[in-house]
Amino acid sequence: AAGAAVATKVADPESGLELLREGERGELLISGATVFDGYLGHDNGEVFAADGFFRTGDLVEICGEQGDFYRIVGRCKDIINRGGMKISPAELDVALEQHPQLLEAAVCAYPDERLGEKICACLVPRPDTSVPDLAALHNYLLEQGFARFKLPERIELFEQLPRNALGKVQRFSLQDTVTARPEKTKS
């Protein structure tokens, strides 16, 4: 808005092209007098877009009839790129953590030759319950309104998920563990 202290826009994290339509997702960029000039002793090439807007690293969805609201949906660095489809793992994490058979749950990417990345559901089952198989997990997520392209292709079980001192799941650690584990062959 004209005269605003801070200007915002949403851009595709890879191409930098501005996104304008409701429902589109991209990185939140900000500019204005309150934004710092950059990090000392750093080239700041990745910190700012070509037009000088600060790249927050936050993944947002454009909301509202005029596209005048943003909903934070995750972090850009966490995005899973499955065959060109960009998937925010945070929304899958939230849905899976509500599953009655699970104590903890998070998803992560693992490499795939054809698609680039695939999705693994990392699960900590509740004691004395059976672990949902992939088909049951798919049905559960479809009932929650998830599109088929967001469904995990793999399940890995954990005794507990790796977390930092603030209790946040360390997705990079999950990815390392999942990538190192041999994938179970389907019978």
PDB file of all heavy atoms in Angstrom, residues 98-138:
ATOM      1  N   GLN A  98      -2.192 -35.904  14.540  1.00  0.00           N
ATOM      2  CA  GLN A  98      -3.550 -36.088  15.086  1.00  0.00           C
ATOM      3  C   GLN A  98      -4.024 -37.538  14.969  1.00  0.00           C
ATOM      4  O   GLN A  98      -5.072 -37.900  15.499  1.00  0.00           O
ATOM      5  CB  GLN A  98      -4.549 -35.177  14.341  1.00  0.00           C
ATOM      6  CG  GLN A  98      -4.188 -33.710  14.320  1.00  0.00           C
ATOM      7  CD  GLN A  98      -3.971 -33.129  15.694  1.00  0.00           C
ATOM      8  OE1 GLN A  98      -4.781 -33.331  16.591  1.00  0.00           O
ATOM      9  NE2 GLN A  98      -2.873 -32.418  15.879  1.00  0.00           N
ATOM     10  N   HIS A  99      -3.255 -38.382  14.261  1.00  0.00           N
ATOM     11  CA  HIS A  99      -3.664 -39.774  14.040  1.00  0.00           C
ATOM     12  C   HIS A  99      -3.721 -40.498  15.388  1.00  0.00           C
ATOM     13  O   HIS A  99      -2.770 -40.439  16.169  1.00  0.00           O
ATOM     14  CB  HIS A  99      -2.680 -40.468  13.091  1.00  0.00           C
ATOM     15  CG  HIS A  99      -3.189 -41.765  12.558  1.00  0.00           C
ATOM     16  ND1 HIS A  99      -3.281 -42.891  13.357  1.00  0.00           N
ATOM     17  CD2 HIS A  99      -3.629 -42.126  11.336  1.00  0.00           C
ATOM     18  CE1 HIS A  99      -3.760 -43.886  12.629  1.00  0.00           C
ATOM     19  NE2 HIS A  99      -3.986 -43.447  11.406  1.00  0.00           N
ATOM     20  N   PRO A 100      -4.820 -41.204  15.677  1.00  0.00           N
ATOM     21  CA  PRO A 100      -4.990 -41.823  16.995  1.00  0.00           C
ATOM     22  C   PRO A 100      -3.969 -42.921  17.336  1.00  0.00           C
ATOM     23  O   PRO A 100      -3.767 -43.215  18.516  1.00  0.00           O
ATOM     24  CB  PRO A 100      -6.405 -42.409  16.938  1.00  0.00           C
ATOM     25  CG  PRO A 100      -6.770 -42.455  15.503  1.00  0.00           C
ATOM     26  CD  PRO A 100      -5.989 -41.386  14.818  1.00  0.00           C
ATOM     27  N   GLN A 101      -3.308 -43.497  16.339  1.00  0.00           N
ATOM     28  CA  GLN A 101      -2.344 -44.564  16.606  1.00  0.00           C
ATOM     29  C   GLN A 101      -0.905 -44.046  16.755  1.00  0.00           C
ATOM     30  O   GLN A 101       0.003 -44.823  16.976  1.00  0.00           O
ATOM     31  CB  GLN A 101      -2.391 -45.612  15.492  1.00  0.00           C
ATOM     32  CG  GLN A 101      -3.697 -46.408  15.462  1.00  0.00           C
ATOM     33  CD  GLN A 101      -3.842 -47.177  14.164  1.00  0.00           C
ATOM     34  OE1 GLN A 101      -4.343 -46.646  13.181  1.00  0.00           O
ATOM     35  NE2 GLN A 101      -3.389 -48.415  14.166  1.00  0.00           N
ATOM     36  N   LEU A 102      -0.721 -42.727  16.628  1.00  0.00           N
ATOM     37  CA  LEU A 102       0.639 -42.178  16.615  1.00  0.00           C
ATOM     38  C   LEU A 102       0.895 -41.230  17.778  1.00  0.00           C
ATOM     39  O   LEU A 102       0.050 -40.390  18.111  1.00  0.00           O
ATOM     40  CB  LEU A 102       0.883 -41.449  15.293  1.00  0.00           C
ATOM     41  CG  LEU A 102       0.695 -42.289  14.027  1.00  0.00           C
ATOM     42  CD1 LEU A 102       0.864 -41.425  12.786  1.00  0.00           C
ATOM     43  CD2 LEU A 102       1.655 -43.471  14.006  1.00  0.00           C
ATOM     44  N   LEU A 103       2.081 -41.363  18.375  1.00  0.00           N
ATOM     45  CA  LEU A 103       2.547 -40.435  19.411  1.00  0.00           C
ATOM     46  C   LEU A 103       3.176 -39.207  18.775  1.00  0.00           C
ATOM     47  O   LEU A 103       2.949 -38.085  19.193  1.00  0.00           O
ATOM     48  CB  LEU A 103       3.615 -41.111  20.271  1.00  0.00           C
ATOM     49  CG  LEU A 103       3.202 -41.809  21.547  1.00  0.00           C
ATOM     50  CD1 LEU A 103       4.422 -42.387  22.242  1.00  0.00           C
ATOM     51  CD2 LEU A 103       2.445 -40.881  22.461  1.00  0.00           C
ATOM     52  N   GLU A 104       4.022 -39.457  17.773  1.00  0.00           N
ATOM     53  CA  GLU A 104       4.723 -38.390  17.057  1.00  0.00           C
ATOM     54  C   GLU A 104       4.730 -38.734  15.575  1.00  0.00           C
ATOM     55  O   GLU A 104       4.706 -39.910  15.203  1.00  0.00           O
ATOM     56  CB  GLU A 104       6.185 -38.283  17.489  1.00  0.00           C
ATOM     57  CG  GLU A 104       6.456 -37.898  18.909  1.00  0.00           C
ATOM     58  CD  GLU A 104       7.950 -37.801  19.149  1.00  0.00           C
ATOM     59  OE1 GLU A 104       8.528 -36.729  18.930  1.00  0.00           O
ATOM     60  OE2 GLU A 104       8.542 -38.829  19.537  1.00  0.00           O
ATOM     61  N   ALA A 105       4.798 -37.716  14.745  1.00  0.00           N
ATOM     62  CA  ALA A 105       4.894 -37.948  13.309  1.00  0.00           C
ATOM     63  C   ALA A 105       5.460 -36.716  12.617  1.00  0.00           C
ATOM     64  O   ALA A 105       5.220 -35.584  13.038  1.00  0.00           O
ATOM     65  CB  ALA A 105       3.528 -38.291  12.724  1.00  0.00           C
ATOM     66  N   ALA A 106       6.235 -36.948  11.579  1.00  0.00           N
ATOM     67  CA  ALA A 106       6.747 -35.872  10.725  1.00  0.00           C
ATOM     68  C   ALA A 106       7.083 -36.500   9.379  1.00  0.00           C
ATOM     69  O   ALA A 106       7.346 -37.698   9.299  1.00  0.00           O
ATOM     70  CB  ALA A 106       7.981 -35.223  11.334  1.00  0.00           C
ATOM     71  N   VAL A 107       7.066 -35.700   8.342  1.00  0.00           N
ATOM     72  CA  VAL A 107       7.468 -36.208   7.036  1.00  0.00           C
ATOM     73  C   VAL A 107       8.776 -35.556   6.623  1.00  0.00           C
ATOM     74  O   VAL A 107       9.133 -34.475   7.098  1.00  0.00           O
ATOM     75  CB  VAL A 107       6.396 -35.982   5.940  1.00  0.00           C
ATOM     76  CG1 VAL A 107       5.107 -36.701   6.287  1.00  0.00           C
ATOM     77  CG2 VAL A 107       6.150 -34.506   5.695  1.00  0.00           C
ATOM     78  N   CYS A 108       9.487 -36.246   5.741  1.00  0.00           N
ATOM     79  CA  CYS A 108      10.710 -35.679   5.183  1.00  0.00           C
ATOM     80  C   CYS A 108      10.866 -36.186   3.758  1.00  0.00           C
ATOM     81  O   CYS A 108      10.206 -37.134   3.340  1.00  0.00           O
ATOM     82  CB  CYS A 108      11.933 -36.043   6.027  1.00  0.00           C
ATOM     83  SG  CYS A 108      12.399 -37.775   5.959  1.00  0.00           S
ATOM     84  N   ALA A 109      11.747 -35.535   3.037  1.00  0.00           N
ATOM     85  CA  ALA A 109      12.054 -35.950   1.670  1.00  0.00           C
ATOM     86  C   ALA A 109      13.137 -37.012   1.706  1.00  0.00           C
ATOM     87  O   ALA A 109      13.934 -37.083   2.632  1.00  0.00           O
ATOM     88  CB  ALA A 109      12.542 -34.752   0.865  1.00  0.00           C
ATOM     89  N   TYR A 110      13.137 -37.860   0.681  1.00  0.00           N
ATOM     90  CA  TYR A 110      14.272 -38.745   0.440  1.00  0.00           C
ATOM     91  C   TYR A 110      14.478 -38.793  -1.069  1.00  0.00           C
ATOM     92  O   TYR A 110      13.538 -38.578  -1.838  1.00  0.00           O
ATOM     93  CB  TYR A 110      14.080 -40.126   1.079  1.00  0.00           C
ATOM     94  CG  TYR A 110      12.981 -40.981   0.503  1.00  0.00           C
ATOM     95  CD1 TYR A 110      13.255 -41.977  -0.442  1.00  0.00           C
ATOM     96  CD2 TYR A 110      11.659 -40.815   0.904  1.00  0.00           C
ATOM     97  CE1 TYR A 110      12.241 -42.769  -0.960  1.00  0.00           C
ATOM     98  CE2 TYR A 110      10.649 -41.605   0.393  1.00  0.00           C
ATOM     99  CZ  TYR A 110      10.944 -42.590  -0.535  1.00  0.00           C
ATOM    100  OH  TYR A 110       9.952 -43.369  -1.045  1.00  0.00           O
ATOM    101  N   PRO A 111      15.716 -39.031  -1.514  1.00  0.00           N
ATOM    102  CA  PRO A 111      16.007 -38.908  -2.944  1.00  0.00           C
ATOM    103  C   PRO A 111      15.339 -39.995  -3.788  1.00  0.00           C
ATOM    104  O   PRO A 111      15.183 -41.135  -3.354  1.00  0.00           O
ATOM    105  CB  PRO A 111      17.537 -39.032  -3.017  1.00  0.00           C
ATOM    106  CG  PRO A 111      18.017 -39.407  -1.671  1.00  0.00           C
ATOM    107  CD  PRO A 111      16.892 -39.325  -0.708  1.00  0.00           C
ATOM    108  N   ASP A 112      14.963 -39.591  -4.992  1.00  0.00           N
ATOM    109  CA  ASP A 112      14.381 -40.522  -5.964  1.00  0.00           C
ATOM    110  C   ASP A 112      14.912 -40.145  -7.344  1.00  0.00           C
ATOM    111  O   ASP A 112      14.874 -38.973  -7.722  1.00  0.00           O
ATOM    112  CB  ASP A 112      12.853 -40.430  -5.945  1.00  0.00           C
ATOM    113  CG  ASP A 112      12.214 -41.376  -6.940  1.00  0.00           C
ATOM    114  OD1 ASP A 112      12.257 -42.601  -6.706  1.00  0.00           O
ATOM    115  OD2 ASP A 112      11.692 -40.893  -7.966  1.00  0.00           O
ATOM    116  N   GLU A 113      15.416 -41.139  -8.082  1.00  0.00           N
ATOM    117  CA  GLU A 113      16.020 -40.867  -9.395  1.00  0.00           C
ATOM    118  C   GLU A 113      15.038 -40.233 -10.360  1.00  0.00           C
ATOM    119  O   GLU A 113      15.371 -39.313 -11.085  1.00  0.00           O
ATOM    120  CB  GLU A 113      16.573 -42.161 -10.003  1.00  0.00           C
ATOM    121  CG  GLU A 113      17.870 -42.612  -9.373  1.00  0.00           C
ATOM    122  CD  GLU A 113      18.417 -43.873 -10.021  1.00  0.00           C
ATOM    123  OE1 GLU A 113      18.035 -44.184 -11.178  1.00  0.00           O
ATOM    124  OE2 GLU A 113      19.230 -44.545  -9.370  1.00  0.00           O
ATOM    125  N   ARG A 114      13.792 -40.715 -10.369  1.00  0.00           N
ATOM    126  CA  ARG A 114      12.814 -40.249 -11.348  1.00  0.00           C
ATOM    127  C   ARG A 114      12.154 -38.927 -10.934  1.00  0.00           C
ATOM    128  O   ARG A 114      12.040 -37.998 -11.737  1.00  0.00           O
ATOM    129  CB  ARG A 114      11.750 -41.329 -11.555  1.00  0.00           C
ATOM    130  CG  ARG A 114      10.837 -41.087 -12.735  1.00  0.00           C
ATOM    131  CD  ARG A 114       9.940 -42.277 -12.989  1.00  0.00           C
ATOM    132  NE  ARG A 114       9.032 -42.556 -11.885  1.00  0.00           N
ATOM    133  CZ  ARG A 114       7.865 -41.956 -11.707  1.00  0.00           C
ATOM    134  NH1 ARG A 114       7.449 -41.038 -12.547  1.00  0.00           N
ATOM    135  NH2 ARG A 114       7.105 -42.262 -10.676  1.00  0.00           N
ATOM    136  N   LEU A 115      11.722 -38.831  -9.669  1.00  0.00           N
ATOM    137  CA  LEU A 115      10.964 -37.663  -9.231  1.00  0.00           C
ATOM    138  C   LEU A 115      11.807 -36.583  -8.544  1.00  0.00           C
ATOM    139  O   LEU A 115      11.328 -35.505  -8.278  1.00  0.00           O
ATOM    140  CB  LEU A 115       9.846 -38.104  -8.270  1.00  0.00           C
ATOM    141  CG  LEU A 115       8.743 -38.962  -8.882  1.00  0.00           C
ATOM    142  CD1 LEU A 115       7.811 -39.482  -7.809  1.00  0.00           C
ATOM    143  CD2 LEU A 115       7.964 -38.171  -9.926  1.00  0.00           C
ATOM    144  N   GLY A 116      13.060 -36.894  -8.254  1.00  0.00           N
ATOM    145  CA  GLY A 116      13.905 -35.955  -7.514  1.00  0.00           C
ATOM    146  C   GLY A 116      13.809 -36.216  -6.026  1.00  0.00           C
ATOM    147  O   GLY A 116      14.795 -36.515  -5.373  1.00  0.00           O
ATOM    148  N   GLU A 117      12.586 -36.108  -5.488  1.00  0.00           N
ATOM    149  CA  GLU A 117      12.348 -36.410  -4.079  1.00  0.00           C
ATOM    150  C   GLU A 117      11.015 -37.121  -3.926  1.00  0.00           C
ATOM    151  O   GLU A 117      10.089 -36.898  -4.701  1.00  0.00           O
ATOM    152  CB  GLU A 117      12.320 -35.122  -3.235  1.00  0.00           C
ATOM    153  CG  GLU A 117      13.650 -34.428  -3.127  1.00  0.00           C
ATOM    154  CD  GLU A 117      13.593 -33.166  -2.269  1.00  0.00           C
ATOM    155  OE1 GLU A 117      12.599 -32.419  -2.330  1.00  0.00           O
ATOM    156  OE2 GLU A 117      14.568 -32.936  -1.541  1.00  0.00           O
ATOM    157  N   LYS A 118      10.952 -37.976  -2.921  1.00  0.00           N
ATOM    158  CA  LYS A 118       9.705 -38.610  -2.516  1.00  0.00           C
ATOM    159  C   LYS A 118       9.484 -38.288  -1.044  1.00  0.00           C
ATOM    160  O   LYS A 118      10.360 -37.740  -0.376  1.00  0.00           O
ATOM    161  CB  LYS A 118       9.764 -40.121  -2.722  1.00  0.00           C
ATOM    162  CG  LYS A 118       9.596 -40.558  -4.160  1.00  0.00           C
ATOM    163  CD  LYS A 118       9.515 -42.080  -4.240  1.00  0.00           C
ATOM    164  CE  LYS A 118       9.226 -42.550  -5.640  1.00  0.00           C
ATOM    165  NZ  LYS A 118       9.152 -44.035  -5.683  1.00  0.00           N
ATOM    166  N   ILE A 119       8.301 -38.666  -0.533  1.00  0.00           N
ATOM    167  CA  ILE A 119       7.924 -38.323   0.832  1.00  0.00           C
ATOM    168  C   ILE A 119       7.919 -39.566   1.711  1.00  0.00           C
ATOM    169  O   ILE A 119       7.295 -40.571   1.366  1.00  0.00           O
ATOM    170  CB  ILE A 119       6.525 -37.679   0.867  1.00  0.00           C
ATOM    171  CG1 ILE A 119       6.488 -36.445  -0.040  1.00  0.00           C
ATOM    172  CG2 ILE A 119       6.122 -37.315   2.292  1.00  0.00           C
ATOM    173  CD1 ILE A 119       5.099 -35.915  -0.300  1.00  0.00           C
ATOM    174  N   CYS A 120       8.589 -39.457   2.856  1.00  0.00           N
ATOM    175  CA  CYS A 120       8.587 -40.519   3.853  1.00  0.00           C
ATOM    176  C   CYS A 120       7.861 -40.022   5.099  1.00  0.00           C
ATOM    177  O   CYS A 120       8.143 -38.920   5.579  1.00  0.00           O
ATOM    178  CB  CYS A 120      10.012 -40.929   4.213  1.00  0.00           C
ATOM    179  SG  CYS A 120      10.078 -42.220   5.469  1.00  0.00           S
ATOM    180  N   ALA A 121       6.940 -40.845   5.615  1.00  0.00           N
ATOM    181  CA  ALA A 121       6.283 -40.557   6.891  1.00  0.00           C
ATOM    182  C   ALA A 121       7.100 -41.214   7.993  1.00  0.00           C
ATOM    183  O   ALA A 121       7.281 -42.431   7.994  1.00  0.00           O
ATOM    184  CB  ALA A 121       4.857 -41.085   6.886  1.00  0.00           C
ATOM    185  N   CYS A 122       7.629 -40.397   8.907  1.00  0.00           N
ATOM    186  CA  CYS A 122       8.431 -40.883  10.031  1.00  0.00           C
ATOM    187  C   CYS A 122       7.512 -40.929  11.247  1.00  0.00           C
ATOM    188  O   CYS A 122       7.028 -39.886  11.699  1.00  0.00           O
ATOM    189  CB  CYS A 122       9.609 -39.950  10.271  1.00  0.00           C
ATOM    190  SG  CYS A 122      10.660 -39.783   8.818  1.00  0.00           S
ATOM    191  N   LEU A 123       7.262 -42.128  11.743  1.00  0.00           N
ATOM    192  CA  LEU A 123       6.225 -42.330  12.738  1.00  0.00           C
ATOM    193  C   LEU A 123       6.757 -42.911  14.041  1.00  0.00           C
ATOM    194  O   LEU A 123       7.625 -43.790  14.031  1.00  0.00           O
ATOM    195  CB  LEU A 123       5.162 -43.298  12.189  1.00  0.00           C
ATOM    196  CG  LEU A 123       4.585 -42.988  10.798  1.00  0.00           C
ATOM    197  CD1 LEU A 123       3.599 -44.069  10.386  1.00  0.00           C
ATOM    198  CD2 LEU A 123       3.953 -41.610  10.757  1.00  0.00           C
ATOM    199  N   VAL A 124       6.211 -42.421  15.143  1.00  0.00           N
ATOM    200  CA  VAL A 124       6.425 -43.013  16.467  1.00  0.00           C
ATOM    201  C   VAL A 124       5.055 -43.509  16.916  1.00  0.00           C
ATOM    202  O   VAL A 124       4.175 -42.707  17.261  1.00  0.00           O
ATOM    203  CB  VAL A 124       6.984 -41.988  17.481  1.00  0.00           C
ATOM    204  CG1 VAL A 124       7.142 -42.641  18.853  1.00  0.00           C
ATOM    205  CG2 VAL A 124       8.296 -41.404  16.985  1.00  0.00           C
ATOM    206  N   PRO A 125       4.844 -44.844  16.850  1.00  0.00           N
ATOM    207  CA  PRO A 125       3.517 -45.364  17.206  1.00  0.00           C
ATOM    208  C   PRO A 125       3.244 -45.294  18.706  1.00  0.00           C
ATOM    209  O   PRO A 125       4.166 -45.306  19.521  1.00  0.00           O
ATOM    210  CB  PRO A 125       3.571 -46.819  16.734  1.00  0.00           C
ATOM    211  CG  PRO A 125       5.011 -47.151  16.564  1.00  0.00           C
ATOM    212  CD  PRO A 125       5.772 -45.871  16.412  1.00  0.00           C
ATOM    213  N   ARG A 126       1.965 -45.217  19.053  1.00  0.00           N
ATOM    214  CA  ARG A 126       1.557 -45.282  20.462  1.00  0.00           C
ATOM    215  C   ARG A 126       1.817 -46.706  20.955  1.00  0.00           C
ATOM    216  O   ARG A 126       1.674 -47.648  20.202  1.00  0.00           O
ATOM    217  CB  ARG A 126       0.073 -44.961  20.614  1.00  0.00           C
ATOM    218  CG  ARG A 126      -0.244 -43.512  20.398  1.00  0.00           C
ATOM    219  CD  ARG A 126      -1.671 -43.185  20.853  1.00  0.00           C
ATOM    220  NE  ARG A 126      -1.937 -41.783  20.630  1.00  0.00           N
ATOM    221  CZ  ARG A 126      -1.550 -40.797  21.432  1.00  0.00           C
ATOM    222  NH1 ARG A 126      -0.884 -41.072  22.526  1.00  0.00           N
ATOM    223  NH2 ARG A 126      -1.826 -39.551  21.152  1.00  0.00           N
ATOM    224  N   PRO A 127       2.187 -46.845  22.223  1.00  0.00           N
ATOM    225  CA  PRO A 127       2.383 -48.194  22.759  1.00  0.00           C
ATOM    226  C   PRO A 127       1.065 -48.983  22.697  1.00  0.00           C
ATOM    227  O   PRO A 127      -0.011 -48.407  22.814  1.00  0.00           O
ATOM    228  CB  PRO A 127       2.791 -47.952  24.214  1.00  0.00           C
ATOM    229  CG  PRO A 127       3.072 -46.509  24.352  1.00  0.00           C
ATOM    230  CD  PRO A 127       2.424 -45.806  23.203  1.00  0.00           C
ATOM    231  N   ASP A 128       1.171 -50.275  22.505  1.00  0.00           N
ATOM    232  CA  ASP A 128       0.007 -51.174  22.504  1.00  0.00           C
ATOM    233  C   ASP A 128      -1.006 -50.876  21.401  1.00  0.00           C
ATOM    234  O   ASP A 128      -2.195 -51.134  21.566  1.00  0.00           O
ATOM    235  CB  ASP A 128      -0.707 -51.155  23.878  1.00  0.00           C
ATOM    236  CG  ASP A 128       0.256 -51.450  25.017  1.00  0.00           C
ATOM    237  OD1 ASP A 128       1.118 -52.338  24.843  1.00  0.00           O
ATOM    238  OD2 ASP A 128       0.167 -50.783  26.069  1.00  0.00           O
ATOM    239  N   THR A 129      -0.541 -50.278  20.293  1.00  0.00           N
ATOM    240  CA  THR A 129      -1.429 -50.120  19.134  1.00  0.00           C
ATOM    241  C   THR A 129      -0.691 -50.634  17.915  1.00  0.00           C
ATOM    242  O   THR A 129       0.540 -50.711  17.896  1.00  0.00           O
ATOM    243  CB  THR A 129      -1.812 -48.648  18.863  1.00  0.00           C
ATOM    244  OG1 THR A 129      -0.621 -47.910  18.579  1.00  0.00           O
ATOM    245  CG2 THR A 129      -2.547 -48.016  20.010  1.00  0.00           C
ATOM    246  N   SER A 130      -1.454 -50.983  16.903  1.00  0.00           N
ATOM    247  CA  SER A 130      -0.824 -51.393  15.649  1.00  0.00           C
ATOM    248  C   SER A 130      -0.395 -50.145  14.887  1.00  0.00           C
ATOM    249  O   SER A 130      -0.948 -49.064  15.084  1.00  0.00           O
ATOM    250  CB  SER A 130      -1.802 -52.217  14.810  1.00  0.00           C
ATOM    251  OG  SER A 130      -2.946 -51.436  14.531  1.00  0.00           O
ATOM    252  N   VAL A 131       0.585 -50.314  14.027  1.00  0.00           N
ATOM    253  CA  VAL A 131       1.079 -49.200  13.222  1.00  0.00           C
ATOM    254  C   VAL A 131       0.268 -49.162  11.930  1.00  0.00           C
ATOM    255  O   VAL A 131       0.112 -50.198  11.277  1.00  0.00           O
ATOM    256  CB  VAL A 131       2.578 -49.382  12.903  1.00  0.00           C
ATOM    257  CG1 VAL A 131       3.088 -48.241  12.049  1.00  0.00           C
ATOM    258  CG2 VAL A 131       3.378 -49.497  14.180  1.00  0.00           C
ATOM    259  N   PRO A 132      -0.271 -48.002  11.559  1.00  0.00           N
ATOM    260  CA  PRO A 132      -0.997 -47.952  10.286  1.00  0.00           C
ATOM    261  C   PRO A 132      -0.051 -48.254   9.123  1.00  0.00           C
ATOM    262  O   PRO A 132       1.097 -47.808   9.125  1.00  0.00           O
ATOM    263  CB  PRO A 132      -1.530 -46.519  10.221  1.00  0.00           C
ATOM    264  CG  PRO A 132      -0.717 -45.735  11.203  1.00  0.00           C
ATOM    265  CD  PRO A 132      -0.202 -46.702  12.213  1.00  0.00           C
ATOM    266  N   ASP A 133      -0.526 -49.038   8.159  1.00  0.00           N
ATOM    267  CA  ASP A 133       0.295 -49.274   6.971  1.00  0.00           C
ATOM    268  C   ASP A 133       0.085 -48.125   5.991  1.00  0.00           C
ATOM    269  O   ASP A 133      -0.695 -47.198   6.255  1.00  0.00           O
ATOM    270  CB  ASP A 133      -0.013 -50.645   6.344  1.00  0.00           C
ATOM    271  CG  ASP A 133      -1.452 -50.766   5.835  1.00  0.00           C
ATOM    272  OD1 ASP A 133      -2.172 -49.742   5.754  1.00  0.00           O
ATOM    273  OD2 ASP A 133      -1.859 -51.888   5.502  1.00  0.00           O
ATOM    274  N   LEU A 134       0.787 -48.171   4.869  1.00  0.00           N
ATOM    275  CA  LEU A 134       0.745 -47.073   3.905  1.00  0.00           C
ATOM    276  C   LEU A 134      -0.675 -46.824   3.386  1.00  0.00           C
ATOM    277  O   LEU A 134      -1.113 -45.677   3.289  1.00  0.00           O
ATOM    278  CB  LEU A 134       1.719 -47.369   2.753  1.00  0.00           C
ATOM    279  CG  LEU A 134       2.376 -46.181   2.081  1.00  0.00           C
ATOM    280  CD1 LEU A 134       2.961 -45.190   3.058  1.00  0.00           C
ATOM    281  CD2 LEU A 134       3.453 -46.649   1.113  1.00  0.00           C
ATOM    282  N   ALA A 135      -1.408 -47.900   3.098  1.00  0.00           N
ATOM    283  CA  ALA A 135      -2.781 -47.755   2.588  1.00  0.00           C
ATOM    284  C   ALA A 135      -3.670 -47.057   3.622  1.00  0.00           C
ATOM    285  O   ALA A 135      -4.446 -46.161   3.285  1.00  0.00           O
ATOM    286  CB  ALA A 135      -3.356 -49.119   2.212  1.00  0.00           C
ATOM    287  N   ALA A 136      -3.535 -47.452   4.896  1.00  0.00           N
ATOM    288  CA  ALA A 136      -4.342 -46.833   5.958  1.00  0.00           C
ATOM    289  C   ALA A 136      -3.960 -45.355   6.134  1.00  0.00           C
ATOM    290  O   ALA A 136      -4.830 -44.503   6.333  1.00  0.00           O
ATOM    291  CB  ALA A 136      -4.152 -47.592   7.265  1.00  0.00           C
ATOM    292  N   LEU A 137      -2.662 -45.076   6.040  1.00  0.00           N
ATOM    293  CA  LEU A 137      -2.194 -43.698   6.151  1.00  0.00           C
ATOM    294  C   LEU A 137      -2.744 -42.851   5.002  1.00  0.00           C
ATOM    295  O   LEU A 137      -3.190 -41.724   5.200  1.00  0.00           O
ATOM    296  CB  LEU A 137      -0.663 -43.677   6.154  1.00  0.00           C
ATOM    297  CG  LEU A 137       0.029 -42.674   7.054  1.00  0.00           C
ATOM    298  CD1 LEU A 137      -0.443 -42.792   8.485  1.00  0.00           C
ATOM    299  CD2 LEU A 137       1.525 -42.826   6.968  1.00  0.00           C
ATOM    300  N   HIS A 138      -2.719 -43.421   3.792  1.00  0.00           N
ATOM    301  CA  HIS A 138      -3.263 -42.721   2.619  1.00  0.00           C
ATOM    302  C   HIS A 138      -4.744 -42.417   2.826  1.00  0.00           C
ATOM    303  O   HIS A 138      -5.187 -41.285   2.588  1.00  0.00           O
ATOM    304  CB  HIS A 138      -3.077 -43.548   1.352  1.00  0.00           C
ATOM    305  CG  HIS A 138      -1.669 -43.560   0.865  1.00  0.00           C
ATOM    306  ND1 HIS A 138      -1.278 -44.259  -0.250  1.00  0.00           N
ATOM    307  CD2 HIS A 138      -0.538 -42.966   1.327  1.00  0.00           C
ATOM    308  CE1 HIS A 138       0.017 -44.094  -0.440  1.00  0.00           C
ATOM    309  NE2 HIS A 138       0.484 -43.318   0.506  1.00  0.00           N
TER     310      HIS A 138
END
